[in-house]
Amino acid sequence: IRGSRDFSTVAEYMQLVGAVRDALNAGKPAPLLAVIARGSFMMGNDGQAEERPVHRVTLAYDFAMSVYEVSQSEFQLYCHRAGKTCPQHPWTRSDDPVVEVSWHDARDYARWLSGATHERYRLPTEAEWEYAARAGQTGLYPSGSSLSPTDAYFSMGATLTAPAPRSMPFNANAWHLMHMVGNVREWVADVWSPSFSGAPADGSARQQGEPAIRVVRGGCYADPAIRLRLTTREPLAADTRDRCTGIRLVREIP
């Protein structure tokens, strides 16, 4: 296991980091959340065309983000309650991150969760995602200028063929979010643009462009270190379903 600490129970983790969670209207728990304080940061990386220009973004609001990627069991509950057909999963553990989900699937899950909790859940914006992934860091990786094995679950030598399940809780960043890089990449709200030219400076999602192409962030278990920069961004057709792409949500704080 990569990382310095395991947590024997979710309750222990919640107590340590001040995490919170909502209850669904049928009594089941919603995804575990970490509260992210408002702030300002420099977004992007001048070393890659699609990641420049580096620009200041100010988020003038607090928000909460799911500590983990959405799990298979959490998504299956949604499928059952909403009468949807769940995607066929390549792995059988209920606490593996859900994959084989499109951008539309991720958006619809957030909408259902909002109705079930009477709170406002949605996909993170690209700026919110990078702000949370950086957790106050200014380098290209969580540890600075290179990727440490304690930063991410990724392919250091042989290519990994599956992500880590939630029962292996490690690779938390400084703001207590698990697997912000590596494990599975995550859909964000924004329409794809080939650079940050003209990007919003207030943390909102970019909406101009081709809505059929969306942004994924964070890289996945099959990727080498070079693809797991905190600034790495990739275009992906919104209807794509694959083994590398999952879901992380934001919950708005009124």
Side-chain angles (χ1 to χ4, degrees):
I1 292 178
R2 306 171 186 187
S4 59
R5 169 124 196 232
D6 293 344
F7 300 96
S8 58
T9 66
V10 169
E12 179 189 353
Y13 184 83
M14 292 176 70
Q15 183 176 13
L16 179 69
V17 306
V20 296
R21 74 190 327 163
D22 296 316
L24 303 179
N25 52 18
K28 294 282 189 179
L32 186 66
L33 302 167
V35 175
I36 309 298
R38 66 192 67 193
S40 180
F41 76 112
M42 299 305 294
M43 183 174 182
N45 163 31
D46 277 333
Q48 300 289 325
E50 68 274 15
E51 298 168 19
R52 59 177 182 243
V54 174
H55 58 290
R56 180 168 292 281
V57 175
T58 298
L59 289 81
Y61 54 91
D62 304 333
F63 61 97
M65 180 172 274
S66 50
V67 169
Y68 302 96
E69 300 124 341
V70 173
S71 71
Q72 288 197 42
S73 61
E74 287 168 339
F75 197 80
Q76 285 168 353
L77 178 64
Y78 151 67
C79 293
H80 175 72
R81 296 280 173 83
K84 302 283 187 180
T85 300
C86 258
Q88 185 68 39
H89 280 280
W91 312 292
T92 59
R93 295 171 298 200
S94 64
D95 67 337
D96 273 321
V98 69
V99 293
E100 299 287 354
V101 286
S102 69
W103 184 89
H104 304 286
D105 296 331
R107 178 202 58 190
D108 291 348
Y109 172 67
R111 288 176 174 174
W112 172 82
L113 195 59
S114 296
T117 61
H118 306 292
E119 301 291 348
R120 168 72 172 159
Y121 283 83
R122 56 175 173 78
L123 293 178
T125 69
E126 193 171 2
E128 289 168 344
W129 189 97
E130 187 170 324
Y131 178 69
R134 284 186 175 279
Q137 304 300 312
T138 58
L140 291 179
Y141 299 97
S143 293
S145 60
S146 61
L147 189 67
S148 164
T150 61
D151 291 336
Y153 191 69
F154 69 104
S155 295
M156 292 188 293
T159 301
L160 298 177
T161 58
R166 195 175 292 185
S167 57
M168 297 165 59
F170 53 93
N171 297 141
N173 73 7
W175 289 352
H176 314 298
L177 300 169
M178 301 285 190
H179 302 300
M180 287 300 288
V181 292
N183 219 43
V184 297
R185 61 192 178 190
E186 300 155 12
W187 291 109
V188 296
D190 300 57
V191 169
W192 170 257
S193 178
S195 77
F196 281 140
S197 179
D202 62 356
S204 59
R206 173 169 265 175
Q207 302 293 353
Q208 297 77 29
E210 174 49 63
I213 307 296
R214 296 286 170 165
V215 183
V216 287
R217 297 293 301 251
C220 89
Y221 57 87
D223 287 331
I226 192 64
R227 294 178 61 84
L228 300 186
R229 297 182 305 276
L230 293 168
T231 55
T232 298
R233 53 196 301 270
E234 301 174 75
L236 199 65
D239 57 0
T240 298
R241 293 182 174 93
D242 62 33
R243 294 186 175 204
C244 260
T245 308
I247 306 170
R248 192 184 300 266
L249 296 180
V250 156
R251 198 269 252 178
E252 295 182 358
I253 298 176

